[in-house]
Amino acid sequence: MVKSLKIITYPNPNLRLKGRPLTQEEIISPETKQFVNELSKKMLKEDGLGLAATQVDRQFRVFVINTPDGVQEFINPEITYRSWLKEKGEEGCLSVPGIFDYVKRHRKIKIKYFNLLGEQKILKARKMLARVIQHEYDHLDGILFIDKLAKK
Ligand code: CO
């Protein structure tokens, strides 16, 4: 039985820890499936657009996103393309409650990742979805959106 997940908030120093990649064996394990399921439920319950493992104090390279097509898990993600063009947009974070501010993000990205079946996938994302993915991706490296606020 896994302990129920709790979101840690700024300035908890553990938010600065990096996630480690899962092994191929771990990716397809029942434990990972259960963890991703709990992480998804937590994100939906808290009305977040995304949630990273590092935000619930688990140092794994895993995050979930609430996409227009449902919840999608990204395991061992790697952003393989970033458009030259950036766009400013407002962001918030479940780990930084009460703060909403503007961040410049790449307008388009391409991301390579594994799903729970251990399949490697590639997703092209733009605008809002690209923004959410970049925000969650940063969490895996201990980076928060408040570290990179855009000049107004
Ligand atoms: Co966040």
Side-chain angles (χ1 to χ4, degrees):
M1 193 54 195
V2 285
K3 236 176 33 184
S4 80
L5 302 179
K6 200 169 168 271
I7 295 174
I8 56 173
T9 55
Y10 180 81
N12 188 319
N14 286 11
L15 283 171
R16 299 306 186 175
L17 299 175
K18 292 185 183 191
R20 69 157 175 89
L22 298 188
T23 64
Q24 280 299 322
E25 205 169 77
E26 284 172 324
I27 291 174
I28 55 169
S29 71
E31 288 77 14
T32 298
K33 192 173 179 179
Q34 191 180 0
F35 173 67
V36 166
N37 187 34
E38 299 278 322
L39 196 62
S40 306
K41 278 199 292 194
K42 190 75 180 167
M43 170 185 69
L44 295 173
K45 190 176 158 221
E46 302 294 334
D47 215 12
L49 292 174
L51 190 59
T54 47
Q55 291 182 268
V56 294
D57 213 6
R58 307 291 158 97
Q59 283 71 45
F60 302 131
R61 300 193 83 78
V62 175
F63 62 76
V64 290
I65 302 273
N66 199 355
T67 77
D69 305 320
V71 177
Q72 174 67 57
E73 75 276 15
F74 294 80
I75 303 171
N76 295 354
E78 195 186 323
I79 295 179
T80 58
Y81 166 78
R82 294 169 171 90
S83 65
W84 177 80
L85 200 67
K86 289 184 172 182
E87 222 167 48
K88 232 190 266 182
E90 198 176 26
E91 296 186 19
C93 179
L94 293 174
S95 292
V96 191
I99 295 185
F100 297 88
D101 214 331
Y102 287 83
V103 182
K104 252 188 197 176
R105 301 282 188 189
H106 300 277
R107 192 168 193 273
K108 291 184 197 170
I109 58 151
K110 227 186 265 184
I111 186 166
K112 206 166 75 172
Y113 63 97
F114 288 90
N115 65 15
L116 282 170
L117 300 173
E119 300 166 332
Q120 183 153 68
K121 299 281 187 181
I122 294 176
L123 178 74
K124 281 191 217 171
R126 50 199 282 277
K127 304 185 94 173
M128 191 58 185
L129 182 57
R131 173 172 301 279
V132 177
I133 288 173
Q134 289 170 82
H135 177 118
E136 296 310 323
Y137 191 84
D138 274 352
H139 274 301
L140 306 186
D141 291 321
I143 299 167
L144 302 174
F145 83 100
I146 48 173
D147 300 341
K148 30 170 82 169
L149 297 182
K151 288 196 193 84
K152 295 247 166 67

